[in-house]
Amino acid sequence: MSTNEKPSRAGSSLVGDDNSYKDVNVSPGPPTLLNDQTTNNVQVVHEGETDDTSAFYNKYKDTVGELTPEMEKKLTRKNFWHLMVQTWWVAFLIHLDKSTLSSASTMGIFKDVKMTKDEYNDLFIVFYAGYLVALWPGSYLSQRIGHKYFITGSLALWALILGVHPAVKTGRQLMALRFLLGLTESQIVPSTAVLHQAFFDYKRSPWIQMLWWASGSFANVLLTMIAYKLILDDKAGALPGGLSSWKWLHFVCVILTFMVFVPLLIWLPNSPVDAKWLSVEEKVHTIALIRRTHSGVRNSTFRWDQVRECFTDPKTWLFITHMFFNELPNNTSQQIPLLIVGFGFTPAESALFNIVKPLWGSALVIGTAAMLFWTDLGMGYSCAISYIPCLIGGIIELASPWNNKVALVVGTQISTFKPSYLLALSWAGLATTGYTKRMVTMSTCVVSAAVANMIAPEFWKEKYKPRYALPWAFMTAFWTISPLLCVIIRLYLQRENKRRAVLIDEKGDYEEDAARMNLETSSEVVQINDWDLDLTDRQNKKFIYPL
């Protein structure tokens, strides 16, 4: 009996009447199995068709003991602390970049660089134009060379470009540098999110990424404290070199980035296989935790068939649409220092108010993470609920009288930090399997976010000063549309899961009954099964979408 015809308790087969695997590209090969077994119908798959961890996992899986619940908890804690300590610095630097230009807006940059308020808004547009240009090539490159080298290389380039900022004299020169910054930063968040998903399953990954993002937001607190001290020293004429406070702020960010770059280059892994803190047994168990959800770990081969499937999948476009509306209000946070000064406060006082925003934002993100961990709401409803503070903040800005400065400041603080960006991006990745499809889906979501961020500054034109009533009305509308889209996505995935539950009840989901095949590597032949194939979520009907 051939492999294709082999019946099993699970009813699974590699190719045949099961549509789960109808698009898998396999080719006949040498009839050689491990342990000197032979058959005339063994199929051979090439490394590009499988998860990159398949050879390692199948080579060592029979040499390790059983993973007990106690061992699983210990392993999860170990991966959490090692990976969190390393990737925290990535989130730290990303938040640092997001705040540097907005802080500089009240630190003398308008005096040193010849530009208008509208040109200042254009800086955010060209930054996200760089995002657009680099995202899809960055997705391809990060998959090919590995997330470790892509992330660390991007950080090094980012620091070099940031270090040139103090030398600019005109708005056009600053625009060129902001465009280059967008190029270097665009793929860092998707790459880090996928790296987390290689170590934690879909039940743990979302709240771990929420904690990662929240911890990074403390960079804003540090930056604000530094900015406040620099502003005071600048007024006292105590800054060395006769340079403005905003220039020294950039130099501090460059130094911090290079201090982080070297350790990450040494320790950051691409997957559990090259995690330095794990033993062979722990690597096998970490991979096994991901395998049981049919999520996949990593595949460095870029697959164009998965790209095509990405753009023909309705849920991809739902995630893209949500990301667009989610990011349209994003420039609000960049306007806060100028808005608060417009309320009648000084630049130094504006800097102090900026300390509140990341603290409030961190509390909101941690609360969302706790909601994911302790409740059964799931990602869709949790994401929808996270918009409530933003919506309240928008209403406060629209309803409060102009002389109520306390209410206006409170409205700006609670409306400009939301965990929905990372949560939605993580959800899009976790709801997509097939490594190339996942990377392209997440990158395209960020493309959508970049387009929205290019549009967002246009709402904050100088003609709407000082109240900015029309911009706040638009922001409030977007904070209403976005949670509705979260609910729609959840209902769509829930309907698909019901269909898959029927199939699993009929055919089962047992790895021991999966179709066997050989994987030819450069040095050996390893026996694997169809759980090792790099299947997309539409090919693998055993995959259950996280809600």
Side-chain angles (χ1 to χ4, degrees):
M1 181 179 292
S2 71
T3 305
N4 290 353
E5 300 168 342
K6 174 183 176 295
S8 67
R9 178 160 51 96
S12 64
S13 60
L14 181 62
V15 180
D17 60 356
D18 187 352
N19 290 329
S20 299
Y21 308 110
K22 64 182 180 180
D23 295 327
V24 176
N25 180 19
V26 295
S27 56
T32 306
L33 288 171
L34 297 183
N35 304 322
D36 295 321
Q37 298 176 1
T38 61
T39 176
N40 292 325
N41 293 287
V42 174
Q43 294 196 340
V44 173
V45 296
H46 301 291
E47 290 181 89
E49 312 286 349
T50 66
D51 193 293
D52 285 358
T53 62
S54 297
F56 178 89
Y57 175 80
N58 286 280
K59 183 176 181 179
Y60 292 105
K61 66 179 182 180
D62 294 329
T63 66
V64 303
E66 182 182 356
L67 179 63
T68 64
E70 292 75 18
M71 291 171 61
E72 181 177 340
K73 291 180 181 178
K74 183 178 179 181
L75 179 60
T76 300
R77 285 195 300 269
K78 187 175 185 179
N79 283 330
F80 172 81
W81 286 112
H82 279 84
L83 199 60
M84 182 66 76
V85 166
Q86 294 175 47
T87 59
W88 177 83
W89 290 102
V90 179
F92 178 90
L93 293 173
I94 290 171
H95 281 86
L96 209 64
D97 172 58
K98 299 300 182 188
S99 300
T100 302
L101 184 58
S102 61
S103 296
S105 67
T106 58
M107 297 174 69
I109 193 171
F110 283 100
K111 178 182 176 181
D112 295 339
V113 180
K114 296 178 181 178
M115 64 177 176
T116 64
K117 174 62 168 61
D118 286 343
E119 287 177 325
Y120 172 78
N121 288 344
D122 290 341
L123 294 177
F124 300 101
I125 296 176
V126 298
F127 177 84
Y128 285 103
Y131 250 69
L132 281 177
V133 171
L135 270 166
W136 282 315
S139 174
Y140 173 83
L141 186 61
S142 64
Q143 183 173 351
R144 294 291 295 163
I145 68 175
H147 299 301
K148 168 183 179 174
Y149 297 110
F150 186 87
I151 291 171
T152 54
S154 296
L155 291 178
L157 290 173
W158 179 83
L160 289 172
I161 296 168
L162 199 65
V164 180
H165 275 57
V168 301
K169 300 295 183 183
T170 67
R172 289 185 178 275
Q173 292 174 353
L174 195 54
M175 285 182 188
L177 290 179
R178 295 299 297 179
F179 177 81
L180 294 176
L181 273 183
L183 289 177
T184 60
E185 189 181 318
S186 62
Q187 188 61 30
I188 291 180
V189 172
S191 290
T192 308
V194 171
L195 182 59
H196 284 145
Q197 292 167 10
F199 284 82
F200 305 102
D201 62 27
Y202 67 83
K203 293 182 179 179
R204 297 184 175 99
S205 178
W207 63 265
I208 286 173
Q209 290 183 60
M210 290 292 98
L211 293 177
W212 167 71
W213 194 248
S215 62
S217 68
F218 285 103
N220 294 335
V221 178
L222 174 63
L223 190 71
T224 299
M225 294 172 66
I226 294 172
Y228 179 72
K229 182 66 168 60
L230 289 172
I231 289 173
L232 295 181
D233 288 349
D234 195 11
K235 285 186 176 180
L239 289 177
L243 299 176
S244 300
S245 56
W246 71 272
K247 295 183 179 181
W248 278 108
L249 185 68
H250 281 75
F251 289 143
V252 170
C253 293
V254 171
I255 293 170
L256 286 172
T257 305
F258 276 116
M259 288 174 61
V260 170
F261 164 73
V262 175
L264 288 181
L265 186 60
I266 297 172
W267 293 100
L268 193 66
N270 282 310
S271 73
V273 173
D274 56 3
K276 291 181 170 59
W277 65 86
L278 294 177
S279 66
V280 170
E281 181 177 31
E282 290 171 331
K283 292 177 181 179
V284 170
H285 287 324
T286 299
I287 296 169
L289 292 174
I290 305 300
R291 284 172 61 88
R292 70 186 183 188
T293 64
H294 297 281
S295 298
V297 180
R298 182 171 187 267
N299 185 355
S300 57
T301 301
F302 195 83
R303 303 194 42 192
W304 289 104
D305 59 316
Q306 293 190 7
V307 175
R308 289 191 295 272
E309 182 177 314
C310 170
F311 292 109
T312 57
D313 190 340
K315 81 173 189 306
T316 301
W317 293 103
L318 286 173
F319 280 117
I320 289 171
T321 303
H322 169 261
M323 189 63 77
F324 178 77
F325 282 101
N326 176 76
E327 289 300 288
L328 276 176
N330 193 47
N331 193 253
T332 308
S333 62
Q334 310 298 334
Q335 304 291 335
I336 280 184
L338 295 174
L339 290 172
I340 292 178
V341 170
F343 295 156
F345 297 95
T346 67
E349 290 169 337
S350 174
L352 287 177
F353 279 124
N354 246 8
I355 294 178
V356 178
K357 184 180 69 170
L359 293 176
W360 159 250
S362 297
L364 183 60
V365 173
I366 291 172
T368 304
M371 188 162 51
L372 281 168
F373 185 76
W374 295 107
T375 72
D376 295 325
L377 285 173
M379 302 184 73
Y381 290 149
S382 297
C383 190
I385 291 171
S386 71
Y387 287 97
I388 292 177
C390 295
L391 187 58
I392 293 174
I395 294 172
I396 289 174
E397 290 296 324
L398 290 170
S400 298
W402 180 247
N403 60 359
N404 191 342
K405 304 302 182 183
V406 174
L408 293 173
V409 170
V410 169
T412 62
Q413 298 302 305
I414 68 174
S415 66
T416 53
F417 200 111
K418 58 188 183 302
S420 51
Y421 171 75
L422 187 65
L423 185 56
L425 186 64
S426 174
W427 191 17
L430 291 169
T432 307
T433 63
Y435 200 80
T436 300
K437 183 182 178 183
R438 175 182 294 171
M439 288 298 301
V440 173
T441 297
M442 296 178 73
S443 295
T444 306
C445 283
V446 181
V447 166
S448 179
V451 172
N453 276 285
M454 290 174 68
I455 298 172
E458 297 302 311
F459 291 104
W460 299 95
K461 292 291 188 180
E462 198 162 6
K463 63 183 179 181
Y464 298 124
K465 291 175 61 177
R467 189 62 200 246
Y468 289 103
L470 187 61
W472 281 113
F474 275 112
M475 302 307 114
T476 305
F478 299 146
W479 288 322
T480 304
I481 295 171
S482 297
L484 291 176
L485 286 169
C486 290
V487 175
I488 291 172
I489 294 171
R490 178 190 165 97
L491 293 176
Y492 176 84
L493 297 180
Q494 193 171 39
R495 185 185 67 175
E496 180 61 25
N497 281 348
K498 289 180 180 179
R499 295 176 179 174
R500 292 174 181 233
V502 173
L503 180 66
I504 291 174
D505 286 341
E506 292 175 353
K507 298 189 175 183
D509 186 20
Y510 308 99
E511 184 170 10
E512 63 269 22
D513 288 335
R516 300 293 193 268
M517 63 204 77
N518 282 354
L519 169 64
E520 286 187 333
T521 69
S522 57
S523 58
E524 59 188 336
V525 177
V526 180
Q527 187 178 114
I528 63 173
N529 62 48
D530 53 18
W531 282 42
D532 295 291
L533 295 174
D534 182 29
L535 299 173
T536 68
D537 53 282
R538 296 182 76 181
Q539 291 172 326
N540 185 3
K541 305 302 183 187
K542 297 175 183 177
F543 174 74
I544 300 299
Y545 292 108
L547 303 177

